[in-house]
Amino acid sequence: MKILPTSSIPEYPRRRIAMLCLLALIAALMSLCFGAVSVAPGEIWKILTGELRGTPEARIILYSRLPRTLGCLLAGAALAVSGAVIQGVLHNPLAAPNVIGVNSGAGLMVALCCAVNPTSVKVIPFAAFLGALVAALLIFSIAERTGASRMTLVLAGIAISGMFGAGIDAVVTVFPDALNGYSDFRIGGFNNLAMSRIIPASWVILAALLGTFLLSGGLDLLALGEETAHALGLPVRRVRFLLLACAAALAGAAVSFAGLLGFVGLIVPHMMRRLVGEESLSLLFASAFGGASLVTFCDLAARTLFAPYVLPVGIVLSLLGGGFFIWLLTRRRGGTHG
């Protein structure tokens, strides 16, 4: 398969992407520093390099905050890039992994995998990928065969999401121990997250991110329309499938350890388009850093602003995303028939 070469990122977006990268690093540092017990940045460095071992602060950082922070960064980047790809492939700015049922498809496969073999931690990200891919292909098939409008596609996604959600409920009803902390999984969050759950998913996320960046040139051509992309030599169906597969892998891997986090894939790509423009490679890099920053800051707020209570970050994201989705619907009501 020959794909036209990906263009380099122009200087102006490059500076903004660098700022977003710095913002993600600041969010990660704040996540490690702040909580019920504050830890100074200097101590964190000594803990990570092994100079401080066996102290209460070291145990807090290594076994609680470090896995949580890495989970926030990975899930945020994965869901945001997945949303940017899905919006580009479907030509629908209202699409997102949680809106069209991709997250729920992944969640159903996670529930089934846990019910069949609760100890198969390494298999869960791949099972989630299969569930997410089935949901993405189902929605794409509906869009391609019916020429569905933006609003119809969203409504179809909500219906599919409800069906997969019912499947998750059925699995948990029959196998009550399939998903420990089921309510947290449904809301989405990073409580009690361990490195053993993050590492298998991280490889899937990194590979899918690399694939998405390599296919960004194809995503730009798809934005020109199917006929134009064909005329320019792009194998449209194959590239669409590969892009959807990468988006499904990203969303599925994130769901496997973060649960059904909502609206990250909807909010972040829209914000990043205003910041760096429509060019796909710039948008994908900006979405990765922007999504990582958003989820990490929201998680930090959820566990510090309401102390001693720790809210699942999914609650904060749903409050932000619900309002943003309503605004987006009303702003684009003139385009619901196209």
Side-chain angles (χ1 to χ4, degrees), residues 195-229:
M195 292 297 292
S196 60
R197 292 176 57 196
I198 295 175
I199 290 174
S202 67
W203 290 111
V204 176
I205 290 173
L206 293 175
L209 284 175
L210 178 60
T212 303
F213 295 147
L214 293 175
L215 291 166
S216 62
L219 192 59
D220 280 325
L221 293 180
L222 287 177
L224 301 175
E226 185 172 337
E227 293 184 1
T228 303

Side-chain angles (χ1 to χ4, degrees), residues 5-309:
T6 301
S7 59
S8 59
I9 300 175
E11 182 178 355
Y12 182 60
R14 197 183 304 155
R15 288 198 295 265
R16 295 197 168 188
I17 291 170
M19 292 174 61
L20 288 167
C21 179
L22 179 60
L23 183 64
L25 292 174
I26 292 172
L29 180 61
M30 292 178 64
S31 178
L32 291 172
C33 288
F34 298 118
V37 176
S38 296
V39 182
E43 290 183 80
I44 291 174
W45 176 253
K46 291 180 180 179
I47 291 169
L48 295 179
T49 56
E51 291 184 42
L52 286 179
R53 295 181 180 178
T55 64
E57 290 80 4
R59 287 191 290 271
I60 290 171
I61 295 297
L62 295 176
Y63 300 110
S64 178
R65 291 188 194 170
L66 182 60
R68 190 179 189 115
T69 301
L70 290 176
C72 289
L73 295 171
L74 286 170
L79 291 171
V81 173
S82 178
V85 171
I86 288 172
Q87 290 170 11
V89 171
L90 296 180
H91 303 292
N92 191 334
L94 299 176
N98 69 299
V99 175
I100 66 171
V102 173
N103 282 7
S104 296
L108 176 58
M109 288 303 295
V110 169
L112 287 171
C113 190
C114 292
V116 173
N117 188 0
T119 62
S120 57
V121 176
K122 294 182 179 179
V123 180
I124 287 176
F126 302 98
F129 158 67
L130 291 177
L133 181 61
V134 168
L137 292 176
L138 185 58
I139 284 292
F140 178 71
S141 177
I142 292 173
E144 192 174 51
R145 293 185 181 182
T146 66
S149 68
R150 290 173 177 174
M151 185 58 66
T152 303
L153 193 61
V154 170
L155 293 175
I158 292 172
I160 290 171
S161 181
M163 293 168 61
F164 284 135
I168 297 173
D169 291 335
V171 171
V172 174
T173 300
V174 177
F175 302 96
D177 297 327
L179 290 174
N180 292 322
Y182 176 59
S183 62
D184 287 343
F185 180 82
R186 290 283 281 182
I187 297 170
F190 303 95
N191 293 335
N192 304 316
L193 187 60
M195 292 297 292
S196 60
R197 292 176 57 196
I198 295 175
I199 290 174
S202 67
W203 290 111
V204 176
I205 290 173
L206 293 175
L209 284 175
L210 178 60
T212 303
F213 295 147
L214 293 175
L215 291 166
S216 62
L219 192 59
D220 280 325
L221 293 180
L222 287 177
L224 301 175
E226 185 172 337
E227 293 184 1
T228 303
H230 269 303
L232 292 173
L234 186 76
V236 172
R237 294 184 67 86
R238 194 180 305 174
V239 172
R240 277 177 171 168
F241 175 80
L242 289 174
L243 284 167
L244 284 176
C246 288
L250 290 168
V255 167
S256 70
F257 64 83
L260 303 178
L261 287 179
F263 295 108
V264 179
L266 178 69
I267 298 174
V268 175
H270 282 279
M271 294 172 61
M272 295 305 108
R273 285 189 186 95
R274 290 177 174 270
L275 194 65
V276 301
E278 296 282 348
E279 195 273 329
S280 293
L281 188 59
S282 300
L283 177 62
L284 294 174
F285 270 106
S287 295
F289 293 125
S293 303
L294 175 68
V295 174
T296 305
F297 277 126
C298 286
D299 181 68
L300 180 62
R303 62 186 173 87
T304 57
L305 296 181
F306 305 96
Y309 303 102

